[in-house]
Amino acid sequence: MTLALSTDAAKWYPVYTHARAEKKAYQALLKKGISSYLPLRKTLKQWSDRKKWIDEPFLKSYLFVHVTQSEMAEVLMTKGIARFIYFSGQITSMPDRQIDDLKLLLASAVDIEITEENLLPGEKVKIKAGPLKDMEGEIVEYRTQKQLALRFDSIGCSIIIHVAASLIERI
């Protein structure tokens, strides 16, 4: 008897959720036993009578699932999930490294912002020191300051972080 080796390895896939349904969709995926990641950041919200720190999705209407192709249908049947993200006509996957970089970025105390502008590619660099050491990205001119942009082509956005020029090196 010979065993067929499965090439259906689990990969990270970005999925698009219904508006303001990221947290509920994430919880529903976890209940189904589907490995997923919802990047959150603490934000101070102001109401008329109080201020409160809340965990807000870092990427509006996005979360990430770590599944095999055979598990994709189960993801789509989860309440709150709208669709997988397509790039060049195919469902796009993300390298493990990009998810790890995103987790590291959100765990650090670095001042970050997200933009959906299509930033022009620049020189590739790596951070030499600090909490984001060894993270790679591209330099862009933005608001007349040199900043490091981490481009996530698979979800169509770039993340801008403020880093001193002395902390980066060319690669």
Side-chain angles (χ1 to χ4, degrees), residues 46-106:
Q46 171 78 48
W47 284 272
S48 61
D49 61 338
R50 67 189 185 287
K51 289 182 182 179
K52 185 177 178 182
W53 286 97
I54 62 163
D55 285 327
E56 186 175 76
F58 182 64
L59 300 166
K60 300 277 188 230
S61 296
Y62 284 97
L63 60 86
F64 304 92
V65 294
H66 193 248
V67 295
T68 62
Q69 287 185 348
S70 60
E71 296 172 306
M72 287 180 168
E74 190 62 35
V75 171
L76 291 175
M77 291 188 290
T78 304
K79 186 174 182 172
I81 301 295
R83 61 183 168 84
F84 280 92
I85 305 302
Y86 285 78
F87 189 74
S88 298
Q90 294 192 25
I91 293 176
T92 189
S93 65
M94 297 178 67
D96 291 349
R97 169 132 178 132
Q98 280 189 348
I99 297 295
D100 293 342
D101 285 350
L102 187 56
K103 288 177 181 178
L104 175 66
L105 187 65
L106 291 173

Side-chain angles (χ1 to χ4, degrees), residues 95-126:
D96 291 349
R97 169 132 178 132
Q98 280 189 348
I99 297 295
D100 293 342
D101 285 350
L102 187 56
K103 288 177 181 178
L104 175 66
L105 187 65
L106 291 173
S108 69
V110 175
D111 181 24
I112 58 178
E113 67 179 274
I114 188 162
T115 177
E116 291 185 12
E117 290 181 36
N118 189 11
L119 302 170
L120 298 175
E123 196 166 19
K124 302 253 189 231
V125 296
K126 180 162 63 171

Side-chain angles (χ1 to χ4, degrees), residues 154-171:
S154 54
I155 59 172
C157 71
S158 299
I159 297 173
I160 310 295
I161 59 175
H162 304 267
V163 176
S166 61
L167 294 179
I168 59 174
E169 65 183 4
R170 287 185 178 96
I171 55 173

Side-chain angles (χ1 to χ4, degrees), residues 27 34 151:
Q27 291 300 323
I34 296 172
R151 183 182 307 273

Side-chain angles (χ1 to χ4, degrees), residues 17-18 21-30 36 63 78-81:
T17 67
H18 297 292
E22 301 94 344
K23 289 181 181 179
K24 288 181 181 175
Y26 175 69
Q27 291 300 323
L29 287 167
L30 292 180
S36 52
L63 60 86
T78 304
K79 186 174 182 172
I81 301 295

Side-chain angles (χ1 to χ4, degrees), residues 132-144:
L132 303 179
K133 183 179 180 186
D134 295 329
M135 191 174 283
E136 297 178 4
E138 298 176 14
I139 290 290
V140 296
E141 289 291 327
Y142 189 75
R143 296 186 189 158
T144 72

